[in-house]
Amino acid sequence: MQAGPDSLADELWQNILCQLSLVDVLNCSRVNKRFHSVSQHDTVWTCLYLDEFDSTGHPQLSLSWKDIFRERAQRERVRLKRKRQASLVRLQSKVQVFSANFRRATADLTEECAKLAAYEEELQVLKRLRTTANATQCWTPAAVSKGFETFLAQAPIDSDWRFEQVQQLILDSKMHCRTVEKTLNKNKHDMQQAQRALQALQGS
């Protein structure tokens, strides 16, 4: 006749429960009164405590190992809650910083694009001047900014020199636009990454 599970000594069941996780031990404790009694033994909770917290210290011996486990688990929950809250604050701060950087880069790009458009418009006017009989006439940027309709007599600038200068300004402006675009894309990526991490932490 084969021996059933009930014939095993409590010490053997304790050793078996020591190999299980906390969830499995709790589930076993609900099977019947004997399993509940065995699962409350200090031997089992000593193993659970050491497995869960990997502690080599000496907890309060006035408490049972189950109570010690509960007390330590409560402290861990509080610690993790504080850690989560601190992470939330850090991520929220990062999102704010990245958002501000993104807005700043967007404004810089808009401003630089406006400059580039103005330079390109001026360049077109200069090209027309070079192909007409008035190509040698002197002009000033102030007159150009007023719609290229009036050429002022004071502080004249040679159109050929200005033509080369505007070409260089356009090249510089395009290079700056590319730099700002890279910064903008990086700020956007960083902001989105921080937002996803914040949403994941808030949803956990």
Side-chain angles (χ1 to χ4, degrees):
M1 185 175 182
Q2 294 183 346
D6 291 339
S7 64
L8 294 178
D10 286 353
E11 290 77 9
L12 291 177
W13 280 117
Q14 291 166 13
N15 290 334
I16 292 172
L17 292 180
C18 280
Q19 311 304 316
L20 303 181
S21 66
L22 173 62
V23 173
D24 291 335
V25 171
L26 293 177
N27 288 335
C28 286
S29 70
R30 300 186 183 99
V31 172
N32 54 40
K33 290 182 178 181
R34 186 184 179 202
F35 272 27
H36 179 77
S37 175
V38 172
S39 66
Q40 305 305 304
H41 198 277
D42 267 2
T43 301
V44 177
W45 286 95
T46 302
C47 295
L48 289 174
Y49 182 91
L50 296 177
D51 288 343
E52 184 74 16
F53 303 115
D54 192 23
S55 175
T56 56
H58 299 282
Q60 303 178 45
L61 297 179
S62 59
L63 300 175
S64 69
W65 277 98
K66 183 177 181 180
D67 291 335
I68 293 169
F69 184 95
R70 285 175 172 172
E71 185 181 273
R72 179 64 182 271
Q74 178 62 26
R75 291 202 306 269
E76 285 297 306
R77 282 194 293 270
V78 172
R79 184 185 67 82
L80 291 175
K81 184 178 180 180
R82 290 174 179 171
K83 182 179 179 181
R84 180 179 179 275
Q85 187 61 36
S87 297
L88 277 173
V89 172
R90 284 195 300 270
L91 282 173
Q92 287 170 344
S93 178
K94 281 186 177 182
V95 169
Q96 291 175 353
V97 170
F98 291 146
S99 297
N101 291 341
F102 179 76
R103 290 193 297 271
R104 192 179 302 114
T106 301
D108 289 345
L109 184 60
T110 302
E111 181 181 355
E112 195 61 36
C113 287
K115 287 181 182 179
L116 180 59
Y119 290 144
E120 289 177 337
E121 184 180 359
E122 183 178 348
L123 187 66
Q124 294 303 316
V125 173
L126 289 170
K127 285 181 179 179
R128 289 197 297 271
L129 287 175
R130 286 161 65 92
T131 58
T132 63
N134 296 327
T136 57
Q137 189 172 356
C138 294
W139 58 278
T140 63
V144 172
S145 65
K146 292 178 182 178
F148 315 109
E149 296 175 354
T150 307
F151 294 97
L152 303 180
Q154 64 271 25
I157 301 177
D158 180 70
S159 61
D160 288 337
W161 174 83
R162 181 59 182 174
F163 183 84
E164 294 177 358
Q165 185 186 41
V166 172
Q167 282 185 316
Q168 185 60 47
L169 287 171
I170 288 175
L171 291 176
D172 293 343
S173 183
K174 286 182 177 179
M175 184 176 297
H176 186 58
C177 280
R178 286 194 291 270
T179 301
V180 175
E181 281 179 340
K182 289 181 181 178
T183 303
L184 182 66
N185 291 333
K186 183 180 184 305
N187 288 334
K188 183 178 180 180
H189 176 266
D190 291 342
M191 181 180 67
Q192 291 175 339
Q193 206 170 33
Q195 285 175 334
R196 285 194 294 269
L198 180 61
Q199 289 171 355
L201 188 59
Q202 287 173 334
S204 62

